[in-house]
């Protein structure tokens, strides 16, 4: 066991460092304490600012950010990354879990060895929360609440809705979906609605929610298909920005119903507030964006791990907040 989880010495040859960098890691001085920040994938707009925050915190604290993740959102690949990190040995682990249950089973090894653990963006299940010292990120239930507020404002009498999400079983996304449903249904969090079927006037259309498996092209096609199949749909709510990361396909899909969007007969609310989304918002192809702060997630993950490594305590939840963007704010909003 000790051979698996000793501290990473990072006395690597230059070729090994180059290989690590190619895989999405960031190298630092060999004497620095090493904190791994494991994302769901290194190849998306969300992860890039996580890396930036991670690196900045590492520089400020004189430690190393070991940023790594699979090339695509894939449960098995992330588990392999975590296992590789444990094999190397690190001073702390921050992870955004693709599958919280399977990730927890691997983190039990790190916990038993006394390695500090925090989660960010994608948390563990409540039953496994004792494995980590804190969750760093957005209050995902309230994120969903916020996404739905604009829909309720524009459609107070209710209607039909389709919710789009990413990977089935992603706890953070499931919480957003629940926040949307409960807000549209006008019920409290302790009385969750499993599926909207007329509550407060709202009904989910057949085939929804739709799961895009974090595939941008699929997300855009799904949105197009839903709008075609449901010409009188009242609201489309996506808990992340996937479809808008394919702007040409998105413009084509929403352009066909632009008159309904303009009149708010069809309300569109999207999660995230990254650069590719803002021109779409400005051009009136969506009504609302709710964005996170991945930079702060990366920064505070390193900060929290360093505190824990020094024997200090951290709050059980570190809220990185979110931003709210409307078309008139598109030039300045979401610059995080």
């Amino acid at each position: 066991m000790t051979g698996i989880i000793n501290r990473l010495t990072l006395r690597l040859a230059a070729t090994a460092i180059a290989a690590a960098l190619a895989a999405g890691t960031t190298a630092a001085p060999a004497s620095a304490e090493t904190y791994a920040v494991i994302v769901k994938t290194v190849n998306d707009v969300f992860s890039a600012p996580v890396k930036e925050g991670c690196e900045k915190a590492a520089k400020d604290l004189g430690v190393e950010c070991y940023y790594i993740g699979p090339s695509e959102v894939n449960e098995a690949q992330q588990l392999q990354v975590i296992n590789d990190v444990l094999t190397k040995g690190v001073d702390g682990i921050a992870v955004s879990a693709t599958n919280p249950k399977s990730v927890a089973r691997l983190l039990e090894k790190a916990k038993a060895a006394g390695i500090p653990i925090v989660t960010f963006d994608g948390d563990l299940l409540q039953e496994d929360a004792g494995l980590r010292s804190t969750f760093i990120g957005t209050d995902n239930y309230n994120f969903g609440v916020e996404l739905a507020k604009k829909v309720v404002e524009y459609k107070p009498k209710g209607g039909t809705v389709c919710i789009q999400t990413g990977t089935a079983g992603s706890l953070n996304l499931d919480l957003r979906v629940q926040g949307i449903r409960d807000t549209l249904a006008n019920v409290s969090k302790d009385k969750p609605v499993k599926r909207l079927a007329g509550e407060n006037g709202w009904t989910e259309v057949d085939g929804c929610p739709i799961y895009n498996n974090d595939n941008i092209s699929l997300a855009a096609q799904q949105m197009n298909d839903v709008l075609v199949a449901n010409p009188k749909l009242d609201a489309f709510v996506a808990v992340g920005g996937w479809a808008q990361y394919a702007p040409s396909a998105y413009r084509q899909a929403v352009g066909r119903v632009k008159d309904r969007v303009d009149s708010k007969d069809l309300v569109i609310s999207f999660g995230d507030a990254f650069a590719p989304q803002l021109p779409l918002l400005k051009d009136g192809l969506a009504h609302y964006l709710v964005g996170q702060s991945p930079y702060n997630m990366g920064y505070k993950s390193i900060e929290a791990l360093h505190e824990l490594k020094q024997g200090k305590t951290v709050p059980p939840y570190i809220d990185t907040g979110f931003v709210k963007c409307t078309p008139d704010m598109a030039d300045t909003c979401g610059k995080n």
Side-chain angles (χ1 to χ4, degrees):
M1 179 67 73
T2 54
I4 294 177
I5 48 184
N6 283 339
R7 286 186 54 192
L8 179 65
T9 59
L10 295 182
R11 301 182 188 280
L12 303 174
T15 54
I17 295 174
L21 287 168
T25 64
T26 303
S31 59
E33 290 173 329
T34 304
Y35 302 116
V37 173
I38 304 169
V39 292
K40 293 180 178 179
T41 173
V42 296
N43 292 320
D44 66 9
V45 294
F46 181 88
S47 297
V50 172
K51 182 174 185 285
E52 293 172 6
C54 174
E55 291 175 335
K56 181 60 167 64
K59 182 178 180 181
D60 291 347
L61 297 171
V63 300
E64 177 184 356
C65 161
Y66 182 46
Y67 169 87
I68 192 167
S71 59
E72 59 185 23
V73 178
N74 182 287
E75 174 187 344
Q77 289 182 17
Q78 188 183 53
L79 293 176
Q80 184 60 54
V81 167
I82 296 170
N83 191 63
D84 291 346
V85 166
L86 289 173
T87 299
K88 283 178 176 290
V90 290
D91 293 292
I93 294 173
V95 60
S96 176
T98 298
N99 184 309
K101 177 54 70 176
S102 55
V103 166
R105 300 289 72 82
L106 276 181
L107 293 181
E108 287 174 351
K109 287 198 243 178
K111 178 73 171 181
I115 297 175
I117 300 168
V118 304
T119 55
F120 66 95
D121 184 41
D123 198 8
L124 303 179
L125 298 177
Q126 187 59 43
E127 64 205 62
D128 297 314
L131 291 171
R132 46 78 166 162
S133 295
T134 187
F135 169 66
I136 300 165
T138 306
D139 183 323
N140 285 293
Y141 181 88
N142 284 336
F143 189 99
V145 169
E146 194 60 46
L147 280 170
K149 279 183 178 179
K150 194 63 66 174
V151 177
V152 173
E153 178 184 335
Y154 292 154
K155 291 280 186 176
K157 295 181 180 179
T160 54
V161 60
C162 182
I163 301 171
Q164 184 180 60
T165 185
T167 305
S170 293
L171 180 60
N172 59 326
L173 302 184
D174 289 347
L175 286 169
R176 295 180 193 181
V177 171
Q178 195 60 58
I180 293 167
R181 285 175 170 154
D182 293 352
T183 302
L184 294 181
N186 193 29
V187 299
S188 60
K189 187 177 182 179
D190 61 342
K191 297 179 180 178
V193 174
K194 187 173 183 180
R195 179 179 173 82
L196 292 163
E199 291 85 355
N200 199 35
W202 285 101
T203 300
E204 293 179 60
V205 296
D206 291 343
C208 295
I210 44 178
Y211 296 89
N212 57 49
N213 296 318
D214 298 301
N215 184 303
I216 291 170
S217 298
L218 176 60
Q221 185 62 53
Q222 286 176 336
M223 184 177 187
N224 180 75
D225 292 347
V226 167
L227 295 179
V228 170
N230 300 275
K232 295 184 178 181
L233 187 73
D234 290 287
F236 188 94
V237 186
V239 301
W242 304 279
Q244 294 185 329
Y245 302 145
S248 295
Y250 181 91
R251 284 181 181 277
Q252 185 174 14
V254 180
R256 296 193 188 100
V257 292
K258 184 63 162 54
D259 57 334
R260 296 192 64 226
V261 177
D262 288 343
S263 66
K264 300 183 179 64
D265 189 38
L266 168 63
V267 181
I268 298 177
S269 182
F270 261 75
D272 296 340
F274 292 113
Q277 299 173 267
L278 298 176
L280 302 173
L281 182 68
K282 185 174 183 178
D283 291 346
L285 296 170
H287 298 101
Y288 202 44
L289 301 181
V290 180
Q292 301 184 85
S293 181
Y295 177 92
N296 284 337
M297 292 182 198
Y299 192 100
K300 291 182 180 296
S301 289
I302 295 295
E303 197 172 53
L305 287 173
H306 194 50
E307 292 280 301
L308 292 166
K309 181 64 179 178
Q310 294 177 320
K312 301 177 183 178
T313 59
V314 296
Y317 169 53
I318 299 173
D319 188 355
T320 53
F322 49 78
V323 296
K324 297 173 281 187
C325 308
T326 52
D328 59 309
M329 302 164 58
D331 288 332
T332 58
C333 199
K335 308 296 186 183
N336 55 358

